[in-house]
Amino acid sequence: MVGGGFGGLQAVRHLKRSPAAVTLIDRRNFHLFQPLLYQVATGALSPGEIAAPLRGVLKRQGNATVVLAEVQGIDLDRRVVRTRAVGGGRESEVGYDTLIVAAGARHSYFGNDEWARVAPGLKSLEDALELRRRILTAFEAAEVEPDPDVQRALLTFVVVGAGPTGVELAGQIAEIARDTVRRDFRHIDPTTARIVLVEGAARVLTAFPESLSAKAERQLAALGVTVRDSRLVTDVDADGVTLSPAGDGDGGSERLDARTVVWAAGVAASPLATALAEGSGAALDRAGRITVEPDLTLPGHPEVFALGDMVRVSDGAGGQIPLPGVAPAAMQQGRYAAKVIRARLAGTEPPSRFTYTDKGNLATIGRMKAVGEIRGAKLSGTLAWLGWLFIHLFYLTGLQNRLLVFIRWTVSFLTRGRGARLITGGAEDPVASPASAEAEVHRS
């Protein structure tokens, strides 16, 4: 098993009562609940509240072994996974009878990888902490900036991509400015901060019905978020972004001066998808996702399953099964792969194809603001927000984390505060800066 995300962890857990010996390989020692990463990025939650150590999660599963290592390659002919121990340690090979690869996805800048330095995305805890540092530092820098133009740029936040992550981030940044820190500063008015949400499509949340997209946009506007739809980003630098009309859109290019830019516009599959394709001849799409059979196996290699954000699933007739890149899809795939493996071990007929059950979509925008569609029922406002809270608490890994997050959310709701509003890491951190440390030595 490669990958301890939603799909991988579900597969391991559903093999608990099987005779299989399961080895889980991951380069991180924890399972991360990615849907709540944006709350770490905006100071609402702490990292440990949305992550659970893999060894702790699986400590009572006697047939599961956790290996902390980076996968270097997969030899399909010899049936081995080549690994290197984390921290540049020894290389080794792990043999397998059946392999599940659930390595996830990474950021995609559509061929402009140089933008990553000034427009970080949100896929890891490190990303979330870096975004938190940049967002909070922008207010601090504006407080001591005498030039009004520079101050205005410091208080302009651009979020690129209006999917659920982008919408949730934009809403949370707006709440920080207009609620959390509005009385904390003496020389600036945080409520004047400008939050711009940029989307290449004609509306936000394109995976949702148009009526819910419209409601989401109205809720964003109520928070003070400006939506710039039908706009493509053509350049990003340290001083801001340049936008151009998408397709046949009206208007010319537009420049937004902003010191904080967040990228939530695209993803690309893990490089392991390319490695599997090279070894099997399977097709890759533009996002680097590998095409697997209807039963999630690699073409020509029924012993290898691939699932999650790194795959697209063939329908067996030359097309693909449409699957959203969300946690429930990966979890269902993980459970399905485990079911097939259990059937093979028992000598019974396994299910012939994976079937996705769409349980709906939810996106939160702010305090008592959300939209959702659950089994055809369209929800918005407080009801959707409560549904979002309950579902995320239910799926969060670990009872302790559920309790901590519930308490944190309750306190935040009552006090309108954010308990993890800390600036850490980066060159601006006095603790991390060698120059600052040297100056401290001289002062002492």
Side-chain angles (χ1 to χ4, degrees):
M1 175 77 63
V2 176
F6 288 107
L9 191 57
Q10 283 292 309
V12 174
R13 283 175 153 178
H14 281 75
L15 290 170
K16 181 176 182 178
R17 303 190 188 284
S18 76
V22 183
T23 299
L24 173 60
I25 304 171
D26 201 302
R27 60 193 179 91
R28 314 305 299 267
N29 77 327
F30 56 84
H31 168 75
L32 177 64
F33 194 77
Q34 283 193 341
L36 292 181
L37 261 181
Y38 80 95
Q39 295 217 355
V40 175
T42 53
L45 295 175
S46 295
E49 293 164 351
I50 67 165
L54 287 170
R55 295 187 186 279
V57 172
L58 299 173
K59 64 183 177 182
R60 290 187 173 87
Q61 185 167 336
N63 69 335
T65 299
V66 177
V67 174
L68 192 64
E70 183 94 32
V71 174
Q72 303 294 300
I74 299 171
D75 191 325
L76 297 175
D77 295 328
R78 296 175 54 227
R79 296 193 180 188
V80 296
V81 178
R82 297 193 302 274
T83 67
R84 180 191 293 274
V86 170
R90 65 185 293 270
E91 295 184 359
S92 61
E93 292 184 342
V94 180
Y96 64 84
D97 296 308
T98 300
L99 174 66
I100 300 177
V101 183
R106 53 182 177 163
H107 310 304
S108 173
Y109 291 86
F110 308 110
N112 299 285
D113 292 343
E114 68 277 8
W115 294 353
R117 183 180 61 83
V118 290
L122 188 59
K123 281 290 181 186
S124 67
L125 281 178
E126 288 79 9
D127 292 337
L129 294 174
E130 174 60 14
L131 284 177
R132 186 180 73 182
R133 184 188 69 80
R134 293 190 183 205
I135 292 167
L136 298 178
T137 298
F139 290 100
E140 299 293 341
E143 171 79 350
V144 296
E145 176 55 57
D147 187 323
D149 291 332
V150 176
Q151 188 181 88
R152 194 158 35 249
L154 285 166
L155 292 177
T156 298
F157 302 85
V158 176
V159 180
V160 182
T165 298
V167 165
E168 289 165 350
L169 268 171
Q172 290 287 295
I173 295 171
E175 285 201 339
I176 290 174
R178 286 159 175 74
D179 196 354
T180 308
V181 302
R182 65 191 180 99
R183 292 192 180 94
D184 290 5
F185 295 89
R186 301 294 175 261
H187 303 293
I188 61 169
D189 179 3
T191 64
T192 63
R194 185 186 184 198
I195 296 89
V196 182
L197 180 60
V198 179
E199 171 57 42
R203 59 187 178 94
V204 304
L205 297 176
T206 55
F208 289 67
E210 288 190 27
S211 60
L212 290 180
S213 292
K215 289 181 179 180
E217 191 161 340
R218 288 195 293 270
Q219 292 178 24
L220 286 165
L223 286 172
V225 177
T226 301
V227 176
R228 304 290 289 134
D229 55 24
S230 300
R231 292 291 185 275
L232 298 178
V233 174
T234 56
D235 189 33
V236 184
D237 56 42
D239 297 319
V241 301
T242 302
L243 310 179
S244 295
D248 298 325
D250 298 329
S253 63
E254 176 185 2
R255 177 70 180 178
L256 296 176
D257 293 330
R259 295 295 187 270
T260 305
V261 181
V262 183
W263 191 264
V267 295
S270 162
L272 285 182
T274 301
L276 289 175
E278 290 174 350
S280 66
L284 292 172
D285 68 3
R286 294 179 61 184
R289 294 176 300 180
I290 189 171
T291 301
V292 295
E293 301 290 1
D295 63 354
L296 305 183
T297 61
L298 205 59
H301 292 272
E303 78 282 0
V304 179
F305 294 83
L307 50 90
D309 291 340
M310 64 180 287
V311 307
R312 58 178 183 173
V313 183
S314 169
D315 62 5
Q320 280 81 44
I321 300 174
L323 293 174
V326 294
M331 293 169 72
Q332 290 182 36
Q333 290 175 341
R335 291 194 290 269
Y336 169 84
K339 187 175 182 179
V340 172
I341 293 170
R342 290 200 309 269
R344 289 178 180 177
L345 291 171
T348 59
E349 187 68 24
S352 61
R353 61 192 303 120
F354 168 72
T355 302
Y356 173 61
T357 302
D358 188 354
K359 297 182 179 179
N361 284 316
L362 284 166
T364 183
I365 296 161
R367 181 186 178 91
M368 302 179 72
K369 292 179 173 65
V371 294
E373 183 182 27
I374 301 177
R375 299 191 182 278
K378 297 176 183 177
L379 309 173
S380 64
T382 303
L383 187 59
W385 181 72
L386 290 172
W388 182 93
L389 292 175
F390 171 78
I391 289 172
H392 282 72
L393 277 176
F394 179 80
Y395 282 109
L396 192 60
T397 302
L399 176 61
Q400 177 177 283
N401 280 359
R402 292 190 194 109
L403 291 173
L404 289 173
V405 170
F406 176 75
I407 293 170
R408 177 83 76 176
W409 281 348
T410 301
V411 172
S412 295
F413 181 81
L414 295 175
T415 65
R416 296 179 179 267
R418 292 172 186 267
R421 216 170 70 232
L422 309 176
I423 298 174
T424 59
E428 289 80 1
D429 185 352
V431 176
S433 171
S436 299
E438 183 179 351
E440 184 66 30
V441 170
H442 286 309
R443 281 197 296 271
S444 62

